[in-house]
Amino acid sequence: MNPNETNEIHQNDEKHASNQNHENTNSHLFTASFTNNPYPVYEKLRKDEPVFKVMFPHGEFGWIISRYEDAVQVLKDSRFSKDMVKRYGADRQSIFSSTMLFSDPPDHRRLRGLVQKAFTPQLVAGMRSHIQDIASDLLDNLPSQETMNLIDDYAFPLPIIVISEILGVPLEDRDKFRMWSNTFIEASTMKNTVLLQQHVQEFTEYLTAWFAKVRKDPGQDLISQLVIAEESGDQLSEKELLGVVSLLIIAGHETTVNLIGNGILALLEHPEQRDLLIKRPELIHQAIEEMLRYNGPVEFSTSRWASEDIEFRGQHIAKGDLVIVALDSANRDEEQFKDPDVFDITREKSSHLAFGKGIHLCLGAPLARLEGEIAVSTLLHRFPNMRLQADVDTLEWRPGMVVRGVKEIPVQLI
């Protein structure tokens, strides 16, 4: 056998091994075990194939970005478009298509500008005492002072009460919002498209009727401000109004629900960290940042599409290709964070990506942080001896391609 033949065999073996490695990694993505604990798969991706082509659960091929440095670049690179209509045309839109989440400048700037005045750090800081009252009332009125379902009894109602008050929608409809929100969040893995369409229609009809009511009798809430902006000229179309309010209702509570749930769960799994936080309550700010980094509430970024052919980290990303950043993977990148798999509430200032990066940085981040701080501190102060009432491996994680959170967390309070 001559040297050329030997070299060719060696190259073929390497190519076969690479393909086999890719298939093995692909088979571990989006499975039940991956949903329960994606971090071993992410570690393998970061090491072997940090820009990874995959078939997503909704049936479209695209790319997962898993390393921190690459994630930051994609999140800030204007060549990766957020405009769904540009990519798929008007025939394939969602209720969120006409929002800042799925738009590029200049539309993004206009849409975000109409909303962000309600979420400035100053206005959010002024809500502290009211949010504290909500947290205390929820714990005062628990069905039992001995046990609770952390999600249903505390983590969900707190942020939905807050966002409902900001928007001016009836608090008594919060269970409807939760049902619709669950459907939209889990849409990427849903097989029942009839139910999805039904809930989209119900949600749309609900909001359309509410807008009509607000037009007749506007108040001081954010929806009234947006409706008035729409009435005053060309700032918001009806479709944009519907999309923006839908996004605010759903994103306005989902992130915080899972921040509180995942954060408390991390403390219950690491009692030495819980005890440290009880002993040193001033660590709450660092603790929230570590909760966001360690097991963040938003697992994947929302979709981006290459607006042109792009050579990225040795891979050819073709124009129109779907690109998604694995935020929770980037937040465990060993090149960026020391001992990334260790939950440490004394960790110094964290540059995590839990709220994204660039112009699409989460608008509600200051509010989510404040709600998280108050929720965790109040619960620990009231029930310092609480403990998990189930094996952590038996907890059911929510399906879907966006949020990361547990459906139920049973807790023994005393």
Side-chain angles (χ1 to χ4, degrees):
M1 185 177 290
N2 65 47
N4 288 338
E5 288 176 323
T6 303
N7 187 47
E8 186 176 341
I9 290 172
H10 179 66
Q11 289 177 342
N12 286 337
D13 285 345
E14 281 189 334
K15 185 176 181 181
H16 177 71
S18 176
N19 289 338
Q20 212 168 33
N21 184 52
H22 185 99
E23 289 172 6
N24 288 339
T25 304
N26 201 29
S27 67
H28 287 94
L29 282 164
F30 313 123
T31 62
S33 61
F34 174 82
T35 300
N36 290 341
N37 181 15
Y39 296 106
V41 177
Y42 287 148
E43 184 178 4
K44 185 173 175 57
L45 279 178
R46 290 193 304 272
K47 179 183 176 183
D48 297 334
E49 299 184 85
V51 181
F52 185 74
K53 192 164 190 178
V54 64
M55 170 73 81
F56 287 105
H58 64 280
E60 182 176 4
F61 275 106
W63 302 88
I64 290 180
I65 310 298
S66 57
R67 286 182 185 166
Y68 181 92
E69 185 180 343
D70 297 343
V72 170
Q73 183 170 337
V74 168
L75 293 172
K76 296 175 73 173
D77 193 331
S78 61
R79 294 177 301 170
F80 295 102
S81 170
K82 294 283 290 175
D83 195 320
M84 187 182 299
V85 178
K86 281 182 188 173
R87 172 61 183 89
Y88 298 114
D91 293 337
R92 187 176 161 187
Q93 295 189 46
S94 81
I95 195 171
F96 306 114
S97 299
S98 300
T99 70
M100 55 271 194
L101 188 63
F102 286 109
S103 63
D104 298 326
D107 285 339
H108 171 267
R109 191 178 306 111
R110 175 177 62 89
L111 293 168
R112 189 177 175 105
L114 288 168
V115 177
Q116 66 183 4
K117 54 179 176 259
F119 296 95
T120 64
Q122 294 82 1
L123 284 176
V124 168
M127 300 172 66
R128 177 177 288 275
S129 62
H130 181 53
I131 296 173
Q132 180 62 67
D133 289 341
I134 294 171
S136 298
D137 287 346
L138 287 170
L139 295 181
D140 286 341
N141 295 291
L142 288 173
S144 165
Q145 290 292 304
E146 296 183 359
T147 63
M148 76 166 170
N149 176 351
L150 178 69
I151 303 299
D152 287 352
D153 296 333
Y154 191 57
F156 165 72
L158 189 152
I160 198 68
I161 290 171
V162 174
I163 197 63
S164 295
E165 291 180 349
I166 290 173
L167 292 172
V169 293
L171 185 56
E172 58 266 25
D173 291 331
R174 66 188 188 188
D175 288 335
K176 292 181 182 176
F177 297 149
R178 188 178 190 184
M179 175 186 68
W180 292 325
S181 179
N182 282 338
T183 297
F184 301 149
I185 290 296
E186 297 169 11
S188 63
T189 57
M190 282 185 70
K191 294 182 172 58
N192 188 350
T193 56
V194 174
L195 180 64
L196 174 61
Q197 292 168 356
Q198 176 189 327
H199 284 181
V200 169
Q201 183 176 345
E202 289 173 1
F203 192 43
T204 302
E205 289 173 353
Y206 176 94
L207 289 180
T208 302
W210 188 254
F211 296 157
K213 182 177 179 180
V214 169
R215 285 188 182 97
K216 292 179 182 178
D217 185 22
Q220 300 302 310
D221 54 84
L222 183 54
I223 288 182
S224 294
Q225 294 176 32
L226 294 173
V227 165
I228 291 168
E230 181 208 5
E231 293 288 307
S232 67
D234 61 356
Q235 297 187 62
L236 270 181
S237 68
E238 178 76 12
K239 185 182 293 184
E240 288 170 339
L241 178 63
L242 180 64
V244 167
V245 173
S246 301
L247 178 63
L248 289 171
I249 290 175
I250 294 171
H253 79 274
E254 280 287 359
T255 301
T256 310
V257 171
N258 297 298
L259 165 57
I260 297 169
N262 296 358
I264 295 293
L265 182 60
L267 291 176
L268 294 173
E269 289 186 274
H270 301 85
E272 77 288 349
Q273 296 292 300
R274 179 195 62 188
D275 294 344
L276 177 60
L277 187 53
I278 291 171
K279 184 180 179 180
R280 296 181 57 193
E282 71 275 8
L283 287 173
I284 185 60
H285 305 294
Q286 285 170 253
I288 292 298
E289 297 309 306
E290 180 66 347
M291 291 169 185
L292 287 163
R293 183 203 69 82
Y294 178 74
N295 202 6
V298 182
E299 186 165 0
F300 291 98
S301 73
T302 48
S303 302
R304 285 166 169 76
W305 297 272
S307 61
E308 58 187 74
D309 288 349
I310 299 171
E311 299 301 321
F312 190 83
R313 298 294 186 263
Q315 297 285 6
H316 177 75
I317 300 178
K319 180 178 180 180
D321 277 3
L322 172 63
V323 179
I324 289 179
V325 172
L327 299 171
D328 279 351
S329 174
N331 288 337
R332 294 277 190 108
D333 190 337
E334 40 285 297
E335 295 295 319
Q336 180 69 21
F337 303 98
K338 182 181 178 181
D339 300 323
D341 294 327
V342 174
F343 179 65
D344 177 10
I345 66 168
T346 67
R347 191 181 292 271
E348 291 303 312
K349 183 175 174 59
S350 174
S351 53
H352 64 74
L353 301 178
F355 292 119
K357 199 80 171 176
I359 65 170
H360 291 281
L361 181 73
C362 177
L363 186 69
L367 179 60
R369 283 186 165 103
L370 179 61
E371 290 174 322
E373 289 177 12
I374 292 171
V376 173
S377 296
T378 306
L379 185 61
L380 285 182
H381 178 74
R382 185 75 65 91
F383 301 108
N385 298 316
M386 65 179 177
R387 62 183 184 274
L388 191 60
Q389 208 178 17
D391 187 325
V392 68
D393 293 331
T394 66
L395 299 178
E396 185 179 358
W397 291 83
R398 296 174 64 185
M401 274 285 297
V402 181
V403 303
R404 176 159 179 78
V406 183
K407 288 187 176 182
E408 295 183 354
I409 303 178
V411 176
Q412 183 78 38
L413 296 173
I414 56 174

